[in-house]
Amino acid sequence: MSETPAVQANHLWLSYGSAEPVLEDVSFSIPQRTIAAIIGPNGCGKTTLLKVLLGFLAPQQGTVEILGKPPREARSGVAYVPQHFTFDRSFPITVLEFLQLSHPTCPREKIADYLSHLNIAATLNSKLGSLSGGQLQRVLIERSMLGDPKILFLDEPAAGIDIAGEQSFYDLILHLHREHGCTVIMVSHELDVVANFAHTVLCLNRKLVCQGRPEQVLTSSTLQRLYGKEASVYRHHHGAL
Amino acid sequence: MDAFALFGLPFMQRALLAGIALGLVLPFLGVFVTLRRMSFFGDGIAHAALAGVAIGLLAGISPFLSALGFAVLFGAAVFLLERKTTISSDALIGVLFTGGLALGVILISLRKGYQPELLSFLFGSILSVAPQDLAIILAFSGAILVVMLNLRRQFTLLALDRDTAWLYGVHTGALDLLFYILLCVTIVLGVKLLGIVLVSALLIIPPTIAKILAPSFRTLLLGSILAGETFIVLGLVLSYWLDLPSGATIILTGVLAFLLTAATRASFKA
């Protein structure tokens, strides 16, 4: 018998008010323990799709199954790192307190241990508002991983991180994926990252344009269908996108 | 005169007990009010409660209880309208707040003669806490404190990161409604001592001061409560000694403390 997919989306339709649909008949399946990337132009429904998969938004038509269950019932196995975590930076809450909000029974030692793995051990008792963008993103990753999720959703996770930090950030995601065996589903604009890290790519432009392995999908013809006529793929002589 | 003779006076004992209870719950909820940027909501509830006071006065029932009921209705109405309409929360509160205030003024105008109770509701009075009022304040404050202590983690998570709160199993809608109701009740509890016009200041000033000084969330909560208790006790004593309205004295004590804190700590933008 085949394994239950991590995510199964069936004929999803969603529009905000009376506007044009943001998602039009979107169907796909993502197997467990894969890294999937959702790519597409701005306004194509990437973040909306992620919110539907997470259960934050209900589609007008269609169904979502996360590990064979509706999103609400699958919450305990799911973690999420938003694109922007906006909060009042003058609000005094330490990193430890912040992490214990989501994981109240998690021992302090485990939290400190994770922070060491993420190279931000010194921030344990720092105020959350005093962290840099990269440090904050790592804290959000830690928060998501402390619950040992089966599926990790990332919405443009490297937004706000400088170029130098980006590579190590994605290396970290890859390491966590290998160590924990969790499925990673991320929205990304960075096609080079997608080419290097993803096992499967979903090309979205309100409709699902195509889905497949990066080498199948990241071609000039697909990208032109997705982004318009100007888009094309250039590969460096060493093979990178 | 013995400086501490006031503590032997029954009305002062009631005011102090009520004040100590309010000094626990108002700043406690105030931490979440400031975190959720709901200051206007607090002000709105207090003003709309005037309609409840007027209904109580006209109907010959306890204006305190009718104000409690009316404020809870106000909170539930804001909660529902925020979810069922596209009108912004600020606009909704602005309309309902002024509507409640206007209704209260009209209803009160139907009563003839001088309205001493109305003045005490508007500006607060240490003389106004009757034994039955004290019982209501202590009972409700105790219940609110128990709920807040048990659900403070969920309320904090909800205020900081709503989506994640939902993912971690928090019933976000139900908890929002509960928070609105707790807030409405707490504010009306404070109306007797602080007055409709000023009560919401005790929600805001203690956490604002504590926020400048606190290094952590735990110290923010404790610092807010400590500041609230200090302002209330000091304000009540000063209002008795100087024969000033209790609400205004308590709030001015808090405002002075805020100005001192802000002036001595770097809380200005560069």
Side-chain angles (χ1 to χ4, degrees):
Chain A
M1 203 174 83
S2 63
E3 191 180 44
T4 308
V7 175
Q8 178 70 53
N10 302 311
H11 306 291
L12 299 175
W13 286 81
L14 188 135
S15 55
Y16 295 109
S18 56
E20 289 282 298
V22 181
L23 300 177
E24 292 182 37
D25 198 24
V26 175
S27 297
F28 59 87
S29 181
I30 297 172
Q32 290 188 41
R33 291 175 294 283
T34 51
I35 298 180
I38 303 170
I39 63 167
N42 287 333
C44 73
K46 300 187 295 291
T47 297
T48 299
L49 177 61
L50 212 61
K51 287 183 174 178
V52 169
L53 300 181
L54 283 158
F56 300 161
L57 291 173
Q60 272 109 22
Q61 287 180 48
T63 57
V64 173
E65 285 181 10
I66 303 293
L67 298 165
K69 296 176 187 166
R72 174 177 276 275
E73 291 172 27
R75 283 184 287 183
S76 60
V78 165
Y80 167 57
V81 178
Q83 183 180 1
H84 298 293
F85 179 62
T86 45
F87 68 106
D88 175 2
R89 281 194 170 256
S90 68
F91 179 67
I93 186 165
T94 64
V95 169
L96 177 65
E97 287 176 322
F98 176 71
L99 294 171
Q100 284 178 332
L101 285 177
S102 317
H103 306 283
T105 56
C106 188
R108 181 192 169 100
E109 293 70 31
K110 185 178 175 185
I111 291 176
D113 194 39
Y114 263 71
L115 286 174
S116 296
H117 276 107
L118 299 174
N119 295 323
I120 46 169
T123 64
L124 186 69
N125 292 310
S126 303
K127 283 187 188 178
L128 194 68
S130 69
L131 303 186
S132 69
Q135 287 174 323
L136 181 61
Q137 206 66 357
R138 281 168 185 261
V139 168
L140 295 175
I141 292 280
E142 160 147 1
R143 181 177 69 166
S144 64
M145 295 310 295
L146 276 173
D148 293 325
K150 293 189 173 64
I151 308 178
L152 174 60
F153 288 90
L154 305 161
D155 190 357
E156 296 193 36
I161 300 179
D162 58 27
I163 294 170
E166 238 175 54
Q167 183 64 36
S168 67
F169 179 79
Y170 282 109
D171 285 340
L172 170 70
I173 299 291
L174 199 59
H175 169 73
L176 293 172
H177 160 74
R178 284 176 182 153
E179 193 172 295
H180 296 263
C182 65
T183 308
V184 176
I185 298 170
M186 63 177 174
V187 165
S188 183
H189 272 301
E190 296 149 297
L191 298 185
D192 56 331
V193 168
V194 171
N196 287 331
F197 289 96
H199 301 137
T200 183
V201 181
L202 290 89
C203 301
L204 188 73
N205 197 349
R206 297 173 189 264
K207 298 171 183 171
L208 190 68
V209 175
C210 59
Q211 178 184 359
R213 294 196 306 275
E215 62 271 23
Q216 293 172 317
V217 167
L218 297 177
T219 61
S220 294
S221 64
T222 308
L223 296 183
Q224 279 171 14
R225 281 165 61 203
L226 195 59
Y227 292 97
K229 285 189 176 176
E230 302 303 317
S232 54
V233 173
Y234 293 94
R235 282 190 189 276
H236 293 280
H237 62 276
H238 50 79
L241 205 63
Chain B
M1 190 184 84
D2 180 357
F4 297 101
L6 77 166
F7 296 114
L9 301 170
F11 77 87
M12 196 63 190
Q13 288 171 348
R14 288 197 297 274
L16 275 169
L17 278 174
I20 288 166
L22 293 168
L24 281 171
V25 289
L26 275 166
F28 199 154
L29 265 86
V31 167
F32 299 94
V33 169
T34 50
L35 181 56
R36 297 174 62 134
R37 299 177 187 274
M38 286 176 67
S39 307
F40 188 45
F41 184 95
D43 221 21
I45 296 162
H47 285 77
L50 186 67
V53 171
I55 290 167
L57 289 173
L58 282 175
I61 56 173
S62 161
F64 197 24
L65 286 177
S66 59
L68 274 173
F70 194 84
V72 170
L73 280 179
F74 176 89
V78 173
F79 173 83
L80 282 176
L81 291 170
E82 276 177 350
R83 278 149 190 81
K84 301 290 177 193
T85 70
T86 55
I87 304 166
S88 74
S89 184
D90 268 10
L92 280 171
I93 295 163
V95 170
L96 292 175
F97 144 35
T98 46
L101 194 60
L103 180 65
V105 170
I106 285 179
L107 288 175
I108 283 167
S109 73
L110 299 175
R111 264 187 127 206
K112 303 292 176 206
Y114 177 58
Q115 312 282 341
E117 279 173 303
L118 176 65
L119 278 180
S120 78
F121 270 105
L122 278 176
F123 301 109
S125 164
I126 48 176
L127 295 170
S128 68
V129 183
Q132 64 270 29
D133 297 333
L134 178 63
I136 292 171
I137 290 172
L138 292 180
F140 276 100
S141 297
I144 290 165
L145 199 61
V146 169
V147 174
M148 289 303 296
L149 284 171
N150 279 298
L151 294 176
R152 69 185 186 283
R153 183 183 68 80
Q154 288 88 333
F155 278 128
T156 314
L157 192 54
L158 182 65
L160 261 180
D161 189 353
R162 184 174 197 83
D163 287 340
T164 301
W166 186 83
L167 273 184
Y168 286 104
V170 173
H171 300 283
T172 51
L175 215 61
D176 270 336
L177 180 60
L178 179 63
F179 185 72
Y180 281 25
I181 289 171
L182 292 178
L183 190 54
C184 293
V185 173
T186 306
I187 284 179
V188 175
L189 292 180
V191 157
K192 277 268 171 180
L193 216 54
L194 298 151
I196 282 168
V197 183
L198 294 169
V199 63
S200 64
L202 209 67
L203 274 176
I204 308 306
I205 296 171
T208 306
I209 293 173
K211 201 170 140 187
I212 296 171
L213 302 170
S216 66
F217 183 62
R218 189 167 166 271
T219 50
L220 171 67
L221 278 175
L222 292 173
S224 299
I225 290 170
L226 184 67
E229 293 290 7
T230 307
F231 304 151
I232 285 188
V233 173
L234 197 60
L236 279 174
V237 171
L238 286 175
S239 76
Y240 175 80
W241 281 345
L242 305 172
D243 194 19
L244 295 170
S246 58
T249 314
I250 291 166
I251 300 308
L252 268 187
T253 310
V255 170
L256 280 174
F258 167 73
L259 291 174
L260 276 172
T261 313
T264 52
R265 296 294 290 247
S267 53
F268 298 101
K269 286 182 180 172

